[in-house]
Amino acid sequence: MKQEELLRQARQLFSDYLEQHHQRKTTEKFVILDEIYLRNDHFDSESLYAEMKQKNFNISRATVYNTLELLKECRLISKHQLGKNHARFEKSYGFWQHDHLICLDCSKVIEFCDPRVHQITTRMGEIFHFDIPHYSLILYGHCQG
Amino acid sequence: MKQEELLRQARQLFSDYLEQHHQRKTTEKFVILDEIYLRNDHFDSESLYAEMKQKNFNISRATVYNTLELLKECRLISKHQLGKNHARFEKSYGFWQHDHLICLDCSKVIEFCDPRVHQITTRMGEIFHFDIPHYSLILYGHCQG
DNA sequence: GTGCATGCAAATCCTTTGCAGTGAT
DNA sequence: ATCACTGCAAAGGATTTGCATGCAC
């Protein structure tokens, strides 16, 4: 799918979500969505905020955080808490669900998929009678090891 | 294994570790180790610190954090970053490695084991040529779901 | 005796909150 | 016209740091 088409659909999904949840469709929210879907990396809130400033969008940190929360709720982005002061976000609409392998030396992030992860969440949900809408799997290692 | 025997071995392992890493064997470090091995829960640094205060051990937060770090390095405890301001520790010597399922509603923590987790870490290590000494798997769900 | 570890408090980091003003409905 | 959303700056909580003192070696 083309990048523009993906963004168009993401905007539509966000718009629908805001409507359903009686949230106002502000310019700021959509500017932030656009910015995120232009990026292809694992970014943090500060670098997103900095990029806004640099492009002369007068958007506050509070709004960045509020919008990231909304986008997370409607699953247009995913958030990964890689460590205490190390939260990272990435766009998720139109991409495969995946997990992360992080190098403890150079902080390189590798994405991987393994069907067994889903099997585990399903099985544990059954065993303990939990509905499991979300999980976090992060492998920490040394590259070239 | 009896609790006292487990603690005795943990103390010995800690002592050896400190010696090998040229760290001083202070009273504070061993008092903290004892305190942790008396507990059977997933605790945070503040509750450990509070318990010290309550028992009239004059130990500072700095020392609590320093010692937790050392105990983590020598694998006598494990640390789980359940969310940004939500780190939890538990003793790990003499216990099976396990992962966690957390209820988003009542914060209940369930421990589980699944051999597929280890298979995944091994496989990804092979594929990406990483040495993977550590990982984190946390499932977030709703109980009674 | 030397100098690393400790206690204390201030500093730090990311994130959240309070408030007054703005703009979406 | 309403009142939820925004920008700004100050507050917040967990953890780290700096410095003077004390204790392990």
Side-chain angles (χ1 to χ4, degrees), chain A residues 31 35 51-59:
Chain A
V31 167
E35 193 57 41
E51 197 143 328
M52 294 302 186
K53 285 285 165 205
Q54 197 198 316
K55 296 192 175 179
N56 290 315
F57 294 125
N58 192 28
I59 290 180

Side-chain angles (χ1 to χ4, degrees), chain A residues 99-127:
Chain A
D99 300 296
H100 297 90
L101 167 57
I102 299 171
C103 180
L104 293 164
D105 303 317
C106 66
S107 297
K108 178 169 59 183
V109 178
I110 292 176
E111 302 174 351
F112 69 89
C113 295
D114 191 310
R116 286 174 288 200
V117 180
H118 184 248
Q119 290 167 11
I120 292 168
T121 61
T122 304
R123 186 82 187 101
M124 294 307 137
E126 287 167 7
I127 291 176

Side-chain angles (χ1 to χ4, degrees), chain A residues 48-99:
Chain A
L48 183 61
Y49 173 70
E51 197 143 328
M52 294 302 186
K53 285 285 165 205
Q54 197 198 316
K55 296 192 175 179
N56 290 315
F57 294 125
N58 192 28
I59 290 180
S60 70
R61 279 196 183 78
T63 303
V64 168
Y65 280 102
N66 286 341
T67 304
L68 285 172
E69 181 61 28
L70 288 170
L71 290 168
K72 183 164 65 100
E73 279 169 19
C74 67
R75 301 200 165 241
L76 282 167
I77 63 171
S78 57
K79 175 180 182 176
H80 309 288
Q81 192 72 45
L82 306 185
K84 182 185 185 298
N85 284 349
H86 195 201
R88 291 291 176 278
F89 301 85
E90 61 186 326
K91 60 187 174 187
S92 56
Y93 176 63
F95 297 90
W96 284 101
Q97 188 172 355
H98 58 263
D99 300 296

Side-chain angles (χ1 to χ4, degrees), chain B residues 23-24 26 58-60 63 84:
Chain B
Q23 305 266 356
R24 295 182 176 171
T26 61
N58 193 28
I59 290 180
S60 69
T63 302
K84 183 182 187 298

Side-chain angles (χ1 to χ4, degrees), chain A residues 3-21:
Chain A
Q3 181 120 334
E4 311 88 75
E5 176 60 11
L6 198 68
L7 176 54
R8 200 189 60 73
Q9 291 187 17
R11 276 212 202 92
Q12 185 62 53
L13 286 166
F14 195 28
S15 180
D16 292 348
Y17 178 85
L18 293 174
E19 210 157 291
Q20 284 162 26
H21 291 74

